[in-house]
Amino acid sequence: MQHFHGMTVEWLGHATFLLKTAKGTTILIDPWLESNPAHPKNWRAPEKIDIVLCPHGHMDHIGDAAAVAKKYKPNFIGMYELMSYLKTKGAENITPMNLGGTVTLKDVTVTLVEARHSSSIDDNGQTIYCGEPAGFIIRVDGEPVLYDAGDTSVFGDMKLIGQIYKPQIALLPIGDHFTMGPDTAAIAAEYVGCNKVIPTHYGTFPVLTGRPEQLREHLRGKSIDVLELKPGEPLY
Ligand SMILES: [Zn+2]
């Protein structure tokens, strides 16, 4: 877990994160908890979750969305088609958006930005299109700007994301195979111009071979720190 001024950032394994702002707003990035093999044992679930960010329609990102919807009744934010799908799974409060759009809920401002990936769900043998995949820019007053890239390859317009939103901290997938690996994640970090990277989407399955130390090696000589979190370090 890391503290950024008053905000805490807790990694729950794979690409799942729990953020808590100084004002107490709780944001879950990726509703994939109990069925996540990297989910920390003995994790103390929060009493409330206000906002859930969903990057794309794959089970390793939204696998527990229905359970989270039922337990917490949070506001789900994500791509229009993905939100429509989650509504059929019991998500009552949804904010369907599209790329480039910004929404403010409580003290949190979220912008959907481009990601290069795919987004569809197999539901009882039927493939459901979930819209374009997305990343998120997360802004809270007084905190560094966070960029969660979602699942993606590196792409040139990460420079544009950097130019427009000036994220200081980037959550970047490094596992390879389904996303960029440590070598291209290092390029992504430079493109977005952040000074800290939190590596995600690695170690969960054997094919996700990228490791933070490799990212660190690729960033040697650059003034970009790699913050390696441990899943489920207690919040307090
Ligand atoms: Zn994934």
Side-chain angles (χ1 to χ4, degrees), residues 7-75:
M7 187 160 83
T8 59
V9 177
E10 184 186 18
W11 188 36
L12 299 178
H14 201 60
T16 304
F17 285 84
L18 192 74
L19 316 181
K20 193 171 178 188
T21 72
K23 289 186 175 165
T25 306
T26 308
I27 306 143
L28 179 66
I29 303 176
D30 285 25
W32 197 41
L33 298 167
E34 275 77 15
S35 54
N36 176 352
H39 184 69
K41 308 284 171 254
N42 306 319
W43 181 61
R44 195 158 56 91
E47 284 177 14
K48 67 176 182 108
I49 292 175
D50 301 295
I51 296 166
V52 179
L53 305 182
C54 302
H56 60 279
H58 288 160
M59 293 315 283
D60 61 320
H61 298 264
I62 59 159
D64 290 313
V68 168
K70 191 172 175 197
K71 183 170 179 184
Y72 294 103
K73 302 200 183 315
N75 200 312

Short mmCIF file of all heavy atoms in Angstrom, two decimals, residues 7-75:
data_model
loop_
_atom_site.label_atom_id
_atom_site.label_comp_id
_atom_site.label_asym_id
_atom_site.label_seq_id
_atom_site.Cartn_x
_atom_site.Cartn_y
_atom_site.Cartn_z
N MET A 7 -4.46 10.10 0.34
CA MET A 7 -5.10 8.98 -0.34
C MET A 7 -4.29 7.70 -0.19
O MET A 7 -3.07 7.74 -0.21
CB MET A 7 -5.26 9.32 -1.83
CG MET A 7 -6.06 8.29 -2.60
SD MET A 7 -6.72 8.96 -4.16
CE MET A 7 -5.30 8.76 -5.22
N THR A 8 -4.98 6.58 -0.02
CA THR A 8 -4.27 5.30 0.04
C THR A 8 -4.55 4.50 -1.22
O THR A 8 -5.63 4.57 -1.80
CB THR A 8 -4.67 4.46 1.26
OG1 THR A 8 -6.07 4.21 1.21
CG2 THR A 8 -4.34 5.17 2.55
N VAL A 9 -3.55 3.77 -1.64
CA VAL A 9 -3.65 2.92 -2.84
C VAL A 9 -3.23 1.52 -2.42
O VAL A 9 -2.10 1.29 -2.01
CB VAL A 9 -2.70 3.43 -3.95
CG1 VAL A 9 -2.74 2.51 -5.15
CG2 VAL A 9 -3.06 4.86 -4.35
N GLU A 10 -4.17 0.60 -2.49
CA GLU A 10 -3.89 -0.78 -2.08
C GLU A 10 -4.06 -1.71 -3.29
O GLU A 10 -5.08 -1.68 -3.97
CB GLU A 10 -4.88 -1.19 -0.98
CG GLU A 10 -4.62 -2.57 -0.42
CD GLU A 10 -5.69 -3.01 0.57
OE1 GLU A 10 -6.78 -2.43 0.58
OE2 GLU A 10 -5.42 -3.96 1.33
N TRP A 11 -3.05 -2.52 -3.54
CA TRP A 11 -3.12 -3.48 -4.64
C TRP A 11 -3.76 -4.76 -4.14
O TRP A 11 -3.36 -5.28 -3.09
CB TRP A 11 -1.71 -3.78 -5.16
CG TRP A 11 -1.67 -4.60 -6.41
CD1 TRP A 11 -2.55 -4.55 -7.46
CD2 TRP A 11 -0.68 -5.58 -6.76
NE1 TRP A 11 -2.16 -5.43 -8.45
CE2 TRP A 11 -1.03 -6.08 -8.05
CE3 TRP A 11 0.45 -6.09 -6.13
CZ2 TRP A 11 -0.29 -7.06 -8.69
CZ3 TRP A 11 1.20 -7.06 -6.78
CH2 TRP A 11 0.84 -7.53 -8.05
N LEU A 12 -4.74 -5.25 -4.86
CA LEU A 12 -5.41 -6.50 -4.46
C LEU A 12 -5.09 -7.63 -5.42
O LEU A 12 -5.86 -8.58 -5.57
CB LEU A 12 -6.93 -6.26 -4.37
CG LEU A 12 -7.33 -5.21 -3.33
CD1 LEU A 12 -8.82 -4.97 -3.33
CD2 LEU A 12 -6.85 -5.62 -1.94
N GLY A 13 -3.97 -7.54 -6.08
CA GLY A 13 -3.53 -8.60 -6.98
C GLY A 13 -4.07 -8.40 -8.39
O GLY A 13 -5.13 -7.85 -8.60
N HIS A 14 -3.29 -8.87 -9.38
CA HIS A 14 -3.61 -8.70 -10.80
C HIS A 14 -3.78 -7.20 -11.09
O HIS A 14 -2.85 -6.45 -10.84
CB HIS A 14 -4.84 -9.54 -11.17
CG HIS A 14 -4.92 -9.83 -12.64
ND1 HIS A 14 -3.94 -10.50 -13.32
CD2 HIS A 14 -5.87 -9.52 -13.56
CE1 HIS A 14 -4.28 -10.59 -14.60
NE2 HIS A 14 -5.44 -10.00 -14.76
N ALA A 15 -4.93 -6.77 -11.60
CA ALA A 15 -5.07 -5.33 -11.91
C ALA A 15 -6.09 -4.67 -10.99
O ALA A 15 -6.63 -3.61 -11.30
CB ALA A 15 -5.46 -5.15 -13.37
N THR A 16 -6.39 -5.31 -9.87
CA THR A 16 -7.40 -4.79 -8.93
C THR A 16 -6.74 -3.90 -7.88
O THR A 16 -5.74 -4.29 -7.27
CB THR A 16 -8.12 -5.97 -8.24
OG1 THR A 16 -8.69 -6.82 -9.24
CG2 THR A 16 -9.21 -5.47 -7.32
N PHE A 17 -7.32 -2.73 -7.70
CA PHE A 17 -6.81 -1.77 -6.71
C PHE A 17 -7.97 -1.19 -5.92
O PHE A 17 -9.07 -1.03 -6.44
CB PHE A 17 -6.09 -0.60 -7.40
CG PHE A 17 -4.74 -0.96 -7.93
CD1 PHE A 17 -4.62 -1.55 -9.19
CD2 PHE A 17 -3.59 -0.73 -7.20
CE1 PHE A 17 -3.38 -1.89 -9.69
CE2 PHE A 17 -2.34 -1.07 -7.70
CZ PHE A 17 -2.22 -1.64 -8.95
N LEU A 18 -7.70 -0.87 -4.68
CA LEU A 18 -8.66 -0.15 -3.86
C LEU A 18 -8.03 1.19 -3.48
O LEU A 18 -6.96 1.22 -2.88
CB LEU A 18 -9.01 -0.95 -2.61
CG LEU A 18 -10.21 -0.42 -1.83
CD1 LEU A 18 -11.51 -0.72 -2.56
CD2 LEU A 18 -10.26 -1.04 -0.43
N LEU A 19 -8.69 2.27 -3.84
CA LEU A 19 -8.21 3.60 -3.48
C LEU A 19 -9.17 4.20 -2.46
O LEU A 19 -10.38 3.99 -2.55
CB LEU A 19 -8.19 4.54 -4.70
CG LEU A 19 -7.65 4.03 -6.03
CD1 LEU A 19 -7.72 5.16 -7.07
CD2 LEU A 19 -6.23 3.54 -5.89
N LYS A 20 -8.61 4.92 -1.51
CA LYS A 20 -9.46 5.63 -0.55
C LYS A 20 -8.98 7.06 -0.45
O LYS A 20 -7.81 7.30 -0.14
CB LYS A 20 -9.41 4.92 0.81
CG LYS A 20 -10.48 5.39 1.75
CD LYS A 20 -10.51 4.51 2.99
CE LYS A 20 -11.56 5.01 3.96
NZ LYS A 20 -11.48 4.31 5.24
N THR A 21 -9.87 8.01 -0.73
CA THR A 21 -9.46 9.40 -0.70
C THR A 21 -9.46 9.91 0.74
O THR A 21 -10.01 9.28 1.65
CB THR A 21 -10.41 10.29 -1.53
OG1 THR A 21 -11.66 10.42 -0.83
CG2 THR A 21 -10.66 9.72 -2.91
N ALA A 22 -8.85 11.07 0.93
CA ALA A 22 -8.80 11.67 2.27
C ALA A 22 -10.20 11.92 2.80
O ALA A 22 -10.43 11.90 4.02
CB ALA A 22 -8.00 12.98 2.21
N LYS A 23 -11.15 12.16 1.90
CA LYS A 23 -12.54 12.40 2.34
C LYS A 23 -13.32 11.10 2.55
O LYS A 23 -14.51 11.12 2.84
CB LYS A 23 -13.26 13.28 1.32
CG LYS A 23 -12.76 14.71 1.33
CD LYS A 23 -13.57 15.62 0.43
CE LYS A 23 -13.09 17.05 0.59
NZ LYS A 23 -13.58 17.92 -0.49
N GLY A 24 -12.66 9.97 2.34
CA GLY A 24 -13.28 8.68 2.64
C GLY A 24 -13.98 8.01 1.47
O GLY A 24 -14.60 6.96 1.65
N THR A 25 -13.90 8.60 0.28
CA THR A 25 -14.50 7.95 -0.88
C THR A 25 -13.66 6.73 -1.27
O THR A 25 -12.44 6.83 -1.36
CB THR A 25 -14.56 8.93 -2.08
OG1 THR A 25 -15.24 10.11 -1.65
CG2 THR A 25 -15.29 8.32 -3.26
N THR A 26 -14.33 5.61 -1.46
CA THR A 26 -13.64 4.35 -1.75
C THR A 26 -13.88 3.97 -3.20
O THR A 26 -15.02 3.88 -3.65
CB THR A 26 -14.12 3.24 -0.81
OG1 THR A 26 -14.00 3.72 0.53
CG2 THR A 26 -13.28 1.99 -0.95
N ILE A 27 -12.79 3.75 -3.93
CA ILE A 27 -12.86 3.46 -5.37
C ILE A 27 -12.22 2.10 -5.61
O ILE A 27 -11.06 1.88 -5.25
CB ILE A 27 -12.07 4.52 -6.16
CG1 ILE A 27 -12.55 5.93 -5.80
CG2 ILE A 27 -12.16 4.27 -7.67
CD1 ILE A 27 -11.44 6.94 -5.76
N LEU A 28 -12.97 1.21 -6.22
CA LEU A 28 -12.41 -0.09 -6.60
C LEU A 28 -12.12 -0.05 -8.10
O LEU A 28 -13.00 0.21 -8.91
CB LEU A 28 -13.43 -1.20 -6.29
CG LEU A 28 -13.02 -2.63 -6.64
CD1 LEU A 28 -11.84 -3.11 -5.79
CD2 LEU A 28 -14.21 -3.59 -6.48
N ILE A 29 -10.86 -0.28 -8.45
CA ILE A 29 -10.51 -0.43 -9.86
C ILE A 29 -10.50 -1.92 -10.15
O ILE A 29 -9.75 -2.66 -9.52
CB ILE A 29 -9.11 0.16 -10.17
CG1 ILE A 29 -9.04 1.63 -9.76
CG2 ILE A 29 -8.78 -0.01 -11.64
CD1 ILE A 29 -7.64 2.24 -9.96
N ASP A 30 -11.36 -2.36 -11.04
CA ASP A 30 -11.47 -3.77 -11.43
C ASP A 30 -12.14 -4.63 -10.37
O ASP A 30 -11.48 -5.07 -9.41
CB ASP A 30 -10.11 -4.40 -11.75
CG ASP A 30 -9.55 -3.95 -13.08
OD1 ASP A 30 -9.93 -2.86 -13.54
OD2 ASP A 30 -8.75 -4.70 -13.66
N PRO A 31 -13.42 -4.92 -10.52
CA PRO A 31 -14.09 -5.80 -9.56
C PRO A 31 -13.76 -7.28 -9.80
O PRO A 31 -14.54 -8.02 -10.37
CB PRO A 31 -15.58 -5.50 -9.80
CG PRO A 31 -15.65 -5.04 -11.21
CD PRO A 31 -14.35 -4.37 -11.52
N TRP A 32 -12.56 -7.67 -9.39
CA TRP A 32 -12.15 -9.07 -9.46
C TRP A 32 -11.48 -9.40 -8.14
O TRP A 32 -10.30 -9.09 -7.94
CB TRP A 32 -11.20 -9.31 -10.64
CG TRP A 32 -11.07 -10.77 -11.00
CD1 TRP A 32 -12.08 -11.69 -11.04
CD2 TRP A 32 -9.88 -11.47 -11.37
NE1 TRP A 32 -11.58 -12.92 -11.43
CE2 TRP A 32 -10.25 -12.82 -11.63
CE3 TRP A 32 -8.54 -11.11 -11.51
CZ2 TRP A 32 -9.33 -13.80 -12.02
CZ3 TRP A 32 -7.62 -12.07 -11.90
CH2 TRP A 32 -8.02 -13.41 -12.16
N LEU A 33 -12.24 -10.00 -7.24
CA LEU A 33 -11.77 -10.16 -5.86
C LEU A 33 -11.60 -11.64 -5.51
O LEU A 33 -10.55 -12.21 -5.74
CB LEU A 33 -12.75 -9.46 -4.91
CG LEU A 33 -12.87 -7.93 -5.12
CD1 LEU A 33 -14.07 -7.36 -4.38
CD2 LEU A 33 -11.60 -7.23 -4.68
N GLU A 34 -12.63 -12.25 -4.97
CA GLU A 34 -12.51 -13.63 -4.46
C GLU A 34 -12.04 -14.61 -5.53
O GLU A 34 -11.31 -15.54 -5.23
CB GLU A 34 -13.83 -14.10 -3.86
CG GLU A 34 -14.03 -13.68 -2.40
CD GLU A 34 -14.42 -12.23 -2.28
OE1 GLU A 34 -14.81 -11.63 -3.31
OE2 GLU A 34 -14.31 -11.68 -1.17
N SER A 35 -12.48 -14.44 -6.78
CA SER A 35 -12.09 -15.41 -7.82
C SER A 35 -10.72 -15.07 -8.43
O SER A 35 -10.26 -15.76 -9.33
CB SER A 35 -13.18 -15.47 -8.91
OG SER A 35 -13.45 -14.19 -9.43
N ASN A 36 -10.09 -14.03 -7.93
CA ASN A 36 -8.76 -13.64 -8.39
C ASN A 36 -7.71 -14.48 -7.65
O ASN A 36 -7.63 -14.41 -6.42
CB ASN A 36 -8.59 -12.13 -8.08
CG ASN A 36 -7.22 -11.59 -8.40
OD1 ASN A 36 -6.29 -12.33 -8.72
ND2 ASN A 36 -7.09 -10.28 -8.29
N PRO A 37 -6.93 -15.32 -8.36
CA PRO A 37 -5.96 -16.18 -7.66
C PRO A 37 -4.94 -15.40 -6.84
O PRO A 37 -4.35 -15.94 -5.91
CB PRO A 37 -5.25 -16.93 -8.79
CG PRO A 37 -5.89 -16.53 -10.06
CD PRO A 37 -6.89 -15.45 -9.81
N ALA A 38 -4.72 -14.13 -7.20
CA ALA A 38 -3.76 -13.31 -6.46
C ALA A 38 -4.43 -12.51 -5.34
O ALA A 38 -3.79 -11.70 -4.68
CB ALA A 38 -3.05 -12.35 -7.42
N HIS A 39 -5.73 -12.76 -5.15
CA HIS A 39 -6.46 -12.02 -4.10
C HIS A 39 -5.85 -12.33 -2.73
O HIS A 39 -5.67 -13.49 -2.39
CB HIS A 39 -7.94 -12.41 -4.12
CG HIS A 39 -8.78 -11.63 -3.15
ND1 HIS A 39 -9.03 -10.29 -3.32
CD2 HIS A 39 -9.39 -12.00 -2.00
CE1 HIS A 39 -9.79 -9.87 -2.31
NE2 HIS A 39 -10.02 -10.88 -1.50
N PRO A 40 -5.52 -11.30 -1.95
CA PRO A 40 -4.86 -11.57 -0.66
C PRO A 40 -5.77 -12.31 0.31
O PRO A 40 -6.93 -11.94 0.49
CB PRO A 40 -4.54 -10.16 -0.15
CG PRO A 40 -5.40 -9.23 -0.93
CD PRO A 40 -5.69 -9.87 -2.23
N LYS A 41 -5.21 -13.34 0.91
CA LYS A 41 -5.95 -14.07 1.94
C LYS A 41 -6.12 -13.15 3.14
O LYS A 41 -5.31 -12.26 3.38
CB LYS A 41 -5.15 -15.32 2.38
CG LYS A 41 -4.71 -16.21 1.22
CD LYS A 41 -5.85 -17.04 0.63
CE LYS A 41 -5.44 -17.73 -0.65
NZ LYS A 41 -6.01 -17.14 -1.88
N ASN A 42 -7.15 -13.39 3.91
CA ASN A 42 -7.44 -12.60 5.12
C ASN A 42 -7.62 -11.11 4.84
O ASN A 42 -7.39 -10.28 5.70
CB ASN A 42 -6.34 -12.78 6.18
CG ASN A 42 -6.08 -14.22 6.51
OD1 ASN A 42 -7.03 -15.00 6.62
ND2 ASN A 42 -4.82 -14.61 6.63
N TRP A 43 -8.01 -10.79 3.60
CA TRP A 43 -8.24 -9.38 3.28
C TRP A 43 -9.47 -8.88 4.02
O TRP A 43 -10.50 -9.56 4.08
CB TRP A 43 -8.46 -9.24 1.77
CG TRP A 43 -8.67 -7.83 1.32
CD1 TRP A 43 -7.81 -6.79 1.46
CD2 TRP A 43 -9.81 -7.31 0.64
NE1 TRP A 43 -8.34 -5.65 0.90
CE2 TRP A 43 -9.58 -5.95 0.40
CE3 TRP A 43 -11.03 -7.87 0.21
CZ2 TRP A 43 -10.51 -5.13 -0.25
CZ3 TRP A 43 -11.94 -7.06 -0.43
CH2 TRP A 43 -11.69 -5.71 -0.66
N ARG A 44 -9.32 -7.71 4.59
CA ARG A 44 -10.45 -7.11 5.29
C ARG A 44 -11.23 -6.25 4.30
O ARG A 44 -10.76 -5.19 3.89
CB ARG A 44 -9.93 -6.26 6.46
CG ARG A 44 -11.00 -5.89 7.47
CD ARG A 44 -10.36 -5.55 8.82
NE ARG A 44 -9.35 -4.50 8.71
CZ ARG A 44 -9.62 -3.21 8.84
NH1 ARG A 44 -10.83 -2.78 9.07
NH2 ARG A 44 -8.65 -2.32 8.75
N ALA A 45 -12.38 -6.74 3.88
CA ALA A 45 -13.18 -6.01 2.89
C ALA A 45 -13.65 -4.68 3.47
O ALA A 45 -13.96 -4.61 4.66
CB ALA A 45 -14.38 -6.85 2.48
N PRO A 46 -13.67 -3.64 2.66
CA PRO A 46 -14.11 -2.34 3.18
C PRO A 46 -15.61 -2.36 3.50
O PRO A 46 -16.35 -3.20 2.98
CB PRO A 46 -13.82 -1.38 2.02
CG PRO A 46 -13.83 -2.24 0.81
CD PRO A 46 -13.36 -3.59 1.24
N GLU A 47 -16.02 -1.43 4.36
CA GLU A 47 -17.44 -1.37 4.71
C GLU A 47 -18.27 -0.85 3.55
O GLU A 47 -19.44 -1.16 3.41
CB GLU A 47 -17.63 -0.48 5.94
CG GLU A 47 -17.21 -1.20 7.20
CD GLU A 47 -17.32 -0.32 8.42
OE1 GLU A 47 -17.98 0.74 8.35
OE2 GLU A 47 -16.73 -0.72 9.45
N LYS A 48 -17.64 0.00 2.75
CA LYS A 48 -18.37 0.54 1.60
C LYS A 48 -17.44 0.68 0.41
O LYS A 48 -16.23 0.83 0.57
CB LYS A 48 -18.99 1.90 1.95
CG LYS A 48 -17.96 2.99 2.18
CD LYS A 48 -18.63 4.32 2.40
CE LYS A 48 -17.59 5.41 2.59
NZ LYS A 48 -17.44 6.34 1.51
N ILE A 49 -18.03 0.58 -0.76
CA ILE A 49 -17.32 0.92 -1.99
C ILE A 49 -18.24 1.87 -2.75
O ILE A 49 -19.40 1.55 -3.02
CB ILE A 49 -17.00 -0.34 -2.83
CG1 ILE A 49 -15.97 -1.21 -2.11
CG2 ILE A 49 -16.47 0.07 -4.21
CD1 ILE A 49 -15.66 -2.53 -2.79
N ASP A 50 -17.75 3.06 -3.04
CA ASP A 50 -18.60 4.08 -3.66
C ASP A 50 -18.57 4.01 -5.18
O ASP A 50 -19.59 4.22 -5.83
CB ASP A 50 -18.12 5.48 -3.23
CG ASP A 50 -18.16 5.65 -1.73
OD1 ASP A 50 -19.28 5.62 -1.17
OD2 ASP A 50 -17.08 5.76 -1.11
N ILE A 51 -17.38 3.77 -5.72
CA ILE A 51 -17.19 3.85 -7.17
C ILE A 51 -16.41 2.62 -7.64
O ILE A 51 -15.45 2.21 -6.99
CB ILE A 51 -16.40 5.14 -7.52
CG1 ILE A 51 -17.20 6.39 -7.13
CG2 ILE A 51 -16.02 5.18 -9.01
CD1 ILE A 51 -16.37 7.67 -7.12
N VAL A 52 -16.84 2.05 -8.75
CA VAL A 52 -16.10 0.92 -9.34
C VAL A 52 -15.75 1.28 -10.78
O VAL A 52 -16.63 1.62 -11.57
CB VAL A 52 -16.93 -0.38 -9.30
CG1 VAL A 52 -16.16 -1.52 -9.95
CG2 VAL A 52 -17.32 -0.74 -7.88
N LEU A 53 -14.48 1.22 -11.11
CA LEU A 53 -14.03 1.51 -12.47
C LEU A 53 -13.80 0.19 -13.21
O LEU A 53 -13.09 -0.69 -12.71
CB LEU A 53 -12.72 2.31 -12.44
CG LEU A 53 -12.74 3.61 -11.63
CD1 LEU A 53 -11.39 4.33 -11.75
CD2 LEU A 53 -13.86 4.53 -12.08
N CYS A 54 -14.41 0.07 -14.40
CA CYS A 54 -14.31 -1.17 -15.18
C CYS A 54 -13.66 -0.86 -16.53
O CYS A 54 -14.24 -0.16 -17.35
CB CYS A 54 -15.69 -1.77 -15.40
SG CYS A 54 -16.56 -2.13 -13.88
N PRO A 55 -12.46 -1.39 -16.79
CA PRO A 55 -11.73 -1.00 -18.00
C PRO A 55 -12.20 -1.70 -19.28
O PRO A 55 -12.15 -1.12 -20.34
CB PRO A 55 -10.28 -1.38 -17.68
CG PRO A 55 -10.41 -2.53 -16.72
CD PRO A 55 -11.65 -2.26 -15.92
N HIS A 56 -12.60 -2.96 -19.17
CA HIS A 56 -13.05 -3.70 -20.36
C HIS A 56 -13.73 -4.99 -19.91
O HIS A 56 -13.66 -5.36 -18.74
CB HIS A 56 -11.88 -3.98 -21.32
CG HIS A 56 -10.79 -4.80 -20.73
ND1 HIS A 56 -9.81 -4.26 -19.93
CD2 HIS A 56 -10.53 -6.12 -20.79
CE1 HIS A 56 -8.99 -5.22 -19.54
NE2 HIS A 56 -9.40 -6.36 -20.03
N GLY A 57 -14.35 -5.67 -20.87
CA GLY A 57 -15.19 -6.81 -20.53
C GLY A 57 -14.48 -8.15 -20.50
O GLY A 57 -14.84 -9.03 -21.28
N HIS A 58 -13.49 -8.31 -19.65
CA HIS A 58 -12.87 -9.63 -19.47
C HIS A 58 -13.01 -10.05 -18.01
O HIS A 58 -12.97 -9.21 -17.12
CB HIS A 58 -11.40 -9.61 -19.89
CG HIS A 58 -11.21 -9.50 -21.38
ND1 HIS A 58 -10.03 -9.07 -21.96
CD2 HIS A 58 -12.06 -9.75 -22.41
CE1 HIS A 58 -10.16 -9.08 -23.28
NE2 HIS A 58 -11.38 -9.47 -23.57
N MET A 59 -13.10 -11.37 -17.82
CA MET A 59 -13.39 -11.87 -16.48
C MET A 59 -12.31 -11.51 -15.46
O MET A 59 -12.59 -11.40 -14.27
CB MET A 59 -13.58 -13.40 -16.51
CG MET A 59 -14.82 -13.83 -17.26
SD MET A 59 -16.33 -12.87 -16.86
CE MET A 59 -16.76 -13.61 -15.27
N ASP A 60 -11.06 -11.36 -15.91
CA ASP A 60 -10.00 -11.03 -14.95
C ASP A 60 -10.04 -9.55 -14.55
O ASP A 60 -9.15 -9.07 -13.84
CB ASP A 60 -8.61 -11.41 -15.47
CG ASP A 60 -8.22 -10.69 -16.75
OD1 ASP A 60 -9.08 -10.52 -17.63
OD2 ASP A 60 -7.05 -10.29 -16.87
N HIS A 61 -11.11 -8.85 -14.99
CA HIS A 61 -11.28 -7.45 -14.59
C HIS A 61 -12.66 -7.16 -14.02
O HIS A 61 -12.81 -6.26 -13.20
CB HIS A 61 -10.99 -6.52 -15.79
CG HIS A 61 -9.58 -6.67 -16.25
ND1 HIS A 61 -8.57 -5.82 -15.84
CD2 HIS A 61 -8.99 -7.61 -17.01
CE1 HIS A 61 -7.42 -6.23 -16.36
NE2 HIS A 61 -7.64 -7.33 -17.07
N ILE A 62 -13.66 -7.94 -14.47
CA ILE A 62 -15.02 -7.69 -13.98
C ILE A 62 -15.67 -8.96 -13.41
O ILE A 62 -16.89 -9.01 -13.23
CB ILE A 62 -15.93 -7.10 -15.08
CG1 ILE A 62 -16.02 -8.06 -16.28
CG2 ILE A 62 -15.44 -5.72 -15.51
CD1 ILE A 62 -17.23 -7.82 -17.15
N GLY A 63 -14.86 -9.99 -13.14
CA GLY A 63 -15.39 -11.29 -12.73
C GLY A 63 -16.29 -11.27 -11.50
O GLY A 63 -17.16 -12.12 -11.36
N ASP A 64 -16.07 -10.31 -10.60
CA ASP A 64 -16.90 -10.23 -9.40
C ASP A 64 -17.77 -8.98 -9.39
O ASP A 64 -18.23 -8.54 -8.32
CB ASP A 64 -16.01 -10.28 -8.14
CG ASP A 64 -15.39 -11.65 -7.96
OD1 ASP A 64 -16.13 -12.65 -8.06
OD2 ASP A 64 -14.16 -11.74 -7.75
N ALA A 65 -18.03 -8.44 -10.56
CA ALA A 65 -18.85 -7.21 -10.63
C ALA A 65 -20.24 -7.43 -10.05
O ALA A 65 -20.76 -6.58 -9.31
CB ALA A 65 -18.94 -6.72 -12.08
N ALA A 66 -20.85 -8.59 -10.37
CA ALA A 66 -22.21 -8.84 -9.89
C ALA A 66 -22.24 -8.92 -8.36
O ALA A 66 -23.12 -8.35 -7.71
CB ALA A 66 -22.75 -10.12 -10.51
N ALA A 67 -21.24 -9.60 -7.79
CA ALA A 67 -21.19 -9.73 -6.32
C ALA A 67 -20.94 -8.37 -5.66
O ALA A 67 -21.56 -8.04 -4.63
CB ALA A 67 -20.08 -10.71 -5.94
N VAL A 68 -20.08 -7.58 -6.27
CA VAL A 68 -19.79 -6.24 -5.73
C VAL A 68 -21.02 -5.35 -5.85
O VAL A 68 -21.35 -4.58 -4.93
CB VAL A 68 -18.57 -5.62 -6.47
CG1 VAL A 68 -18.41 -4.15 -6.14
CG2 VAL A 68 -17.29 -6.39 -6.11
N ALA A 69 -21.74 -5.47 -6.96
CA ALA A 69 -22.97 -4.68 -7.16
C ALA A 69 -23.98 -5.00 -6.08
O ALA A 69 -24.60 -4.11 -5.49
CB ALA A 69 -23.55 -4.97 -8.54
N LYS A 70 -24.12 -6.30 -5.80
CA LYS A 70 -25.12 -6.74 -4.83
C LYS A 70 -24.76 -6.28 -3.41
O LYS A 70 -25.59 -5.79 -2.67
CB LYS A 70 -25.18 -8.27 -4.88
CG LYS A 70 -26.33 -8.86 -4.14
CD LYS A 70 -26.43 -10.35 -4.40
CE LYS A 70 -27.54 -10.93 -3.53
NZ LYS A 70 -27.46 -12.36 -3.39
N LYS A 71 -23.47 -6.41 -3.08
CA LYS A 71 -23.05 -6.11 -1.70
C LYS A 71 -22.98 -4.62 -1.41
O LYS A 71 -23.35 -4.16 -0.35
CB LYS A 71 -21.68 -6.77 -1.45
CG LYS A 71 -21.17 -6.58 -0.03
CD LYS A 71 -19.94 -7.43 0.25
CE LYS A 71 -19.44 -7.20 1.66
NZ LYS A 71 -18.19 -7.93 1.93
N TYR A 72 -22.44 -3.84 -2.39
CA TYR A 72 -22.12 -2.44 -2.09
C TYR A 72 -22.99 -1.42 -2.81
O TYR A 72 -22.96 -0.24 -2.47
CB TYR A 72 -20.65 -2.17 -2.44
CG TYR A 72 -19.65 -2.92 -1.59
CD1 TYR A 72 -18.99 -4.04 -2.08
CD2 TYR A 72 -19.36 -2.48 -0.29
CE1 TYR A 72 -18.06 -4.72 -1.30
CE2 TYR A 72 -18.43 -3.15 0.48
CZ TYR A 72 -17.78 -4.27 -0.02
OH TYR A 72 -16.86 -4.94 0.75
N LYS A 73 -23.69 -1.82 -3.84
CA LYS A 73 -24.47 -0.90 -4.68
C LYS A 73 -23.65 0.36 -5.07
O LYS A 73 -24.09 1.50 -4.90
CB LYS A 73 -25.76 -0.49 -3.99
CG LYS A 73 -26.63 -1.69 -3.64
CD LYS A 73 -28.06 -1.32 -3.41
CE LYS A 73 -28.91 -2.49 -2.99
NZ LYS A 73 -28.71 -3.72 -3.77
N PRO A 74 -22.46 0.16 -5.59
CA PRO A 74 -21.61 1.30 -5.96
C PRO A 74 -22.03 1.87 -7.31
O PRO A 74 -22.88 1.30 -8.00
CB PRO A 74 -20.23 0.66 -6.09
CG PRO A 74 -20.52 -0.71 -6.59
CD PRO A 74 -21.82 -1.13 -5.96
N ASN A 75 -21.41 2.97 -7.66
CA ASN A 75 -21.61 3.53 -9.00
C ASN A 75 -20.52 2.96 -9.92
O ASN A 75 -19.33 3.17 -9.68
CB ASN A 75 -21.52 5.05 -8.94
CG ASN A 75 -22.19 5.68 -10.14
OD1 ASN A 75 -21.95 5.26 -11.27
ND2 ASN A 75 -23.04 6.66 -9.89
#
